[in-house]
Amino acid sequence: MNRLLSILFLVLAAASCQKGTCIHTYQSVPHSQWSIRDTLTFHIPPLAQDGEYELLAGIRIQRNFPFNQVWVVVEQDLNSPTLQHKDTLCIQIADSTGGLLGTGLNLCQYEEPLPPISLHKGQEGTLRLYHIMSKEILPHVHDVGLHVRQKGQE
């Protein structure tokens, strides 16, 4: 049964990349505490076609998250052809009155876009996310994720 589910997941993942979304996944943060030393790594499978791609960094937090924003770094390390790039991104969590801006009930989810990039068929690699907040440990962070899709595909 597990093998069948794994095969089904791979088939769906491959098909979704051809329809615009190449990866949309989140990784749990241990004990809901994101340490400044915790780098989350995401593998980008070989792309089905050339095009402009959008990257969105995501975070899911508990409602009692103590900050209004989170600063993260997204490192891109892709090959065929080689592309190495690093972006710093501010994910706005709350407005000036402290009202949460995300979506969700128990967990609030946020996705913030990075500048679009041109990628090529067959290109693959890894993306790494980590926070650069002055506080070493960010409490109440449940998941951190990444969404890569062809530009204009929602």
Side-chain angles (χ1 to χ4, degrees):
M1 182 66 161
N2 284 341
R3 185 171 182 198
L4 179 61
L5 288 175
S6 296
I7 291 170
L8 179 61
F9 174 78
L10 290 174
V11 169
L12 290 174
S16 70
C17 191
Q18 293 172 356
K19 293 179 183 172
T21 296
C22 293
I23 184 173
H24 192 188
T25 186
Y26 280 75
Q27 293 181 20
S28 295
V29 174
H31 310 292
S32 295
Q33 296 185 27
W34 192 11
S35 170
I36 202 162
R37 291 183 293 279
D38 292 338
T39 299
L40 300 158
T41 302
F42 301 88
H43 176 71
I44 304 300
L47 298 174
Q49 55 190 359
D50 293 346
E52 284 284 307
Y53 285 80
E54 299 174 320
L55 283 72
L56 297 100
I59 187 170
R60 292 180 185 140
I61 61 162
Q62 296 168 353
R63 292 191 159 281
N64 53 349
F65 185 73
F67 303 102
N68 288 338
Q69 59 192 15
V70 176
W71 286 90
V72 299
V73 172
V74 180
E75 293 180 350
Q76 304 167 27
D77 188 5
L78 304 169
N79 60 23
S80 299
T82 299
L83 170 67
Q84 293 181 325
H85 187 76
K86 188 185 292 190
D87 285 300
T88 303
L89 184 65
C90 178
I91 300 175
Q92 196 66 37
I93 303 297
D95 61 22
S96 60
T97 64
L100 296 176
L101 300 171
T103 59
L105 298 175
N106 293 327
L107 294 176
C108 292
Q109 179 170 316
Y110 302 82
E111 282 192 337
E112 191 67 35
L114 291 124
I117 58 173
S118 291
L119 298 174
H120 304 282
K121 181 177 180 176
Q123 200 166 18
E124 65 181 313
T126 57
L127 298 178
R128 290 177 291 280
L129 277 79
Y130 54 92
H131 80 80
I132 53 170
M133 300 285 285
S134 59
K135 193 86 162 153
E136 186 170 321
I137 295 177
L138 302 183
H140 311 296
V141 175
H142 196 268
D143 304 298
V144 176
L146 186 67
H147 190 174
V148 180
R149 65 182 179 214
Q150 278 192 294
K151 193 170 181 180
Q153 303 285 321
E154 304 264 338

